[in-house]
Amino acid sequence: MADLKSTFAGISSPNPFWLASAPPTDKAYNVRRAFEAGWGGVVWKTLGEDPPIVNVSGPRYGAVFGNDRRLIGFNNIELITDRPLGTNLNEIREIKREWPDRALVVSLMVPCEEKSWRHILPMVEDTGADGIELNFGCPHGMSERGMGAAVGQVPEYVEMVTAWCKQYSKMPVIVKLTPNVTNILTPARAAKKGGADAVSLINTISSIVEGDLVQMSPGPSVGGRGAHGGYCGPAVKPIALRMVAEIARDPECAGVPISGIGGIEAWRDAAEYMAMGAANVQVCTAAMVYGFKIVESMIDGLSNWMDSKGYKTVPEFVGKAVPKFVNWEYLNLRYVAKARIDQDLCIKCGRCYIACEDTSHQAISKEKDGKRHFEVIDKECVGCNLCVNVCPVEGCLTLHALPDGAIDPRTGDKVGGYENWTTHPNNPNRAPA
């Protein structure tokens, strides 16, 4: 049996599945239920200074749905906790005493002033919490007040506040990064320079999910007005995964553990994050949509997959895909693949033909012997994968690599070997032979 025990930034938990700082971790009642369901850890919803902030009581959430009403994108305009600081601290102390084997990290956001951080850190440390996560990512509400993403977008502030927290606390410091930047490496490097024990990402993406055409305002509309919010859920996973991988492969960030966040709904999502460099993962939207017990299938699924691959522990495959994450110019230009249609599975819908004919390379024929029949024309196919993605039947359309030594009927070139753009004859800036 695979061992899912996790140690992240010196913090131990029975598995690598944590709940992210969000409404599901706002109070003892929720966290208790989460731990009973099997979550390895939680990041308590972001604490601030007293008096507490005030949240809206109208709609706080918006969503983007697929045709089957599956929630694929989630937007929120909720702020940090609106409960008194003392209440939160008492509950954190109580929960940590009840569940000593679970990771309990506290998210923090106070003004970007040394005295504010120096004041709150000892109070959090006194609860027995395992660590703190600095919320440098919230893109709405708090950023207008000079906190959240307003700090995370300025590397000098990231480094400065991180250094304060390391100076005034013995707890591990995790820096939560905002994706609302041009280059994620800039704040990540600043966090390391400030002494961060780890980074977590991504926080939500600044967004408006709809235009309310009845009230003529952004949605969700609160009393006829709307504000931009934070976007999360399955739709952000590709963005988050790329940012995690960028940090994982960056020499200047070497040695900084990463907690992956963004669109994780199942064990496979978590495994992908881990393969791309995340030592553990944090989940929010999936828990809000499906409930805390989804962690059961995540634990079982990851354990079974690890057994099937021969992995005994999670660290054995963390970052295993990172060395193969390269810039475009280092891809193999002599690798050639062609699409293939399984005629036994084909339902003759013609979606592959229309997509290729109208918008791609005219590489699929639609008729054979006077009958409706779809076939790939190898001489035109560039292996772009569009037809595979639009086909409604799983496994009907697939890409197949041509063997080394074969001749590509499209170009007449021999397949195989290795040549990248940096040495290609057509590259005016190619490296010398």
Side-chain angles (χ1 to χ4, degrees):
M1 286 288 292
D3 182 359
L4 296 190
K5 289 187 182 69
S6 170
T7 301
F8 180 77
I11 303 168
S12 299
S13 58
N15 62 64
F17 298 105
W18 292 8
L19 283 172
S21 167
T25 63
D26 191 29
K27 58 175 97 59
Y29 177 84
N30 301 51
V31 174
R32 235 182 235 112
R33 286 178 59 83
F35 284 160
E36 288 168 357
W39 291 90
V42 303
V43 182
W44 202 276
K45 186 173 180 183
T46 307
L47 309 185
E49 296 180 315
D50 280 331
I53 61 95
V54 178
N55 270 297
V56 297
S57 61
R60 300 180 185 181
Y61 307 129
V64 175
F65 298 99
N67 291 335
D68 58 356
R69 194 152 172 87
R70 180 194 169 208
L71 189 147
I72 57 176
F74 197 54
N75 171 276
N76 84 89
I77 58 170
E78 185 164 315
L79 306 182
I80 65 175
T81 185
D82 51 15
R83 304 166 72 233
L85 178 60
T87 301
N88 277 297
L89 293 174
N90 288 336
E91 291 184 5
I92 291 166
R93 182 179 293 106
E94 177 185 327
I95 290 293
K96 187 58 192 177
R97 187 168 56 244
E98 292 177 14
W99 298 87
D101 68 320
R102 307 301 172 94
L104 202 166
V105 173
V106 178
S107 177
L108 293 176
M109 181 193 295
V110 295
C112 196
E113 300 170 356
E114 186 173 1
K115 64 179 181 180
S116 295
W117 288 97
R118 188 172 59 229
H119 175 69
I120 199 170
L121 288 167
M123 292 190 286
V124 175
E125 191 163 345
D126 186 59
T127 65
D130 296 302
I132 55 174
E133 182 180 78
L134 311 186
N135 185 342
F136 292 160
C138 187
H140 57 276
M142 306 309 294
S143 58
E144 290 91 329
R145 310 174 197 205
M147 294 179 277
V151 176
Q153 291 167 340
V154 183
E156 292 81 7
Y157 292 171
V158 172
E159 180 185 346
M160 178 177 66
V161 177
T162 303
W164 289 340
C165 292
K166 291 298 296 180
Q167 179 181 352
Y168 298 118
S169 173
K170 297 177 182 177
M171 295 178 289
V173 176
I174 303 166
V175 175
K176 190 171 187 179
L177 302 175
T178 176
N180 302 295
V181 292
T182 304
N183 185 351
I184 195 66
L185 294 179
T186 304
R189 291 168 179 170
K192 181 179 181 181
K193 195 172 179 182
D197 296 283
V199 295
S200 59
L201 68 155
I202 61 174
N203 209 310
T204 53
I205 300 169
S206 185
S207 61
I208 295 174
V209 290
E210 67 171 326
D212 188 326
L213 298 181
V214 175
Q215 302 194 63
M216 284 298 172
S217 76
S221 182
V222 181
R225 292 180 178 179
H228 71 274
Y231 195 53
C232 53
V236 311
K237 177 188 164 189
I239 299 167
L241 198 59
R242 194 273 300 176
M243 290 187 172
V244 165
E246 288 281 7
I247 295 173
R249 72 172 182 172
D250 180 49
E252 293 187 41
C253 292
V256 178
I258 303 168
S259 185
I261 311 170
I264 298 163
E265 286 193 326
W267 72 266
R268 182 178 292 274
D269 300 319
E272 290 176 15
Y273 269 93
M274 292 170 185
M276 294 308 301
N280 76 358
V281 294
Q282 297 183 34
V283 179
C284 173
T285 305
M288 295 179 74
V289 174
Y290 302 111
F292 286 149
K293 287 193 175 181
I294 59 162
V295 75
E296 295 175 357
S297 63
M298 290 181 174
I299 291 170
D300 288 345
L302 184 62
S303 180
N304 292 337
W305 175 79
M306 287 173 62
D307 286 342
S308 72
K309 296 296 183 182
Y311 296 121
K312 302 295 185 185
T313 64
V314 171
E316 289 179 31
F317 68 92
V318 168
K320 208 166 179 74
V322 174
K324 295 181 181 178
F325 175 32
V326 299
N327 291 342
W328 188 95
E329 60 264 29
Y330 294 104
L331 296 178
N332 186 353
L333 299 183
R334 291 187 177 177
Y335 173 87
V336 178
K338 302 289 182 181
R340 293 288 178 263
I341 300 173
D342 186 328
Q343 298 300 334
D344 293 332
L345 295 176
C346 182
I347 60 174
K348 309 295 189 291
C349 68
R351 288 184 62 183
C352 62
Y353 168 78
I354 290 298
C356 189
E357 191 71 15
D358 284 357
T359 69
S360 201
H361 293 85
Q362 298 76 52
I364 296 178
S365 62
K366 65 175 180 176
E367 188 177 301
K368 184 178 182 181
D369 300 329
K371 296 180 180 179
R372 188 177 178 86
H373 178 91
F374 299 98
E375 198 81 51
V376 175
I377 306 168
D378 281 359
K379 192 173 182 180
E380 305 298 336
C381 179
V382 302
C384 71
N385 212 39
L386 174 62
C387 59
V388 176
N389 288 316
V390 302
C391 179
V393 180
E394 186 175 0
C396 176
L397 258 154
T398 50
L399 276 189
H400 293 262
L402 297 186
D404 286 356
I407 301 299
D408 182 355
R410 187 178 72 88
T411 64
D413 296 332
K414 186 177 288 188
V415 174
Y418 183 80
E419 182 177 36
N420 60 45
W421 182 244
T422 63
T423 58
H424 196 280
N426 291 350
N427 179 3
N429 301 313
R430 68 182 182 277

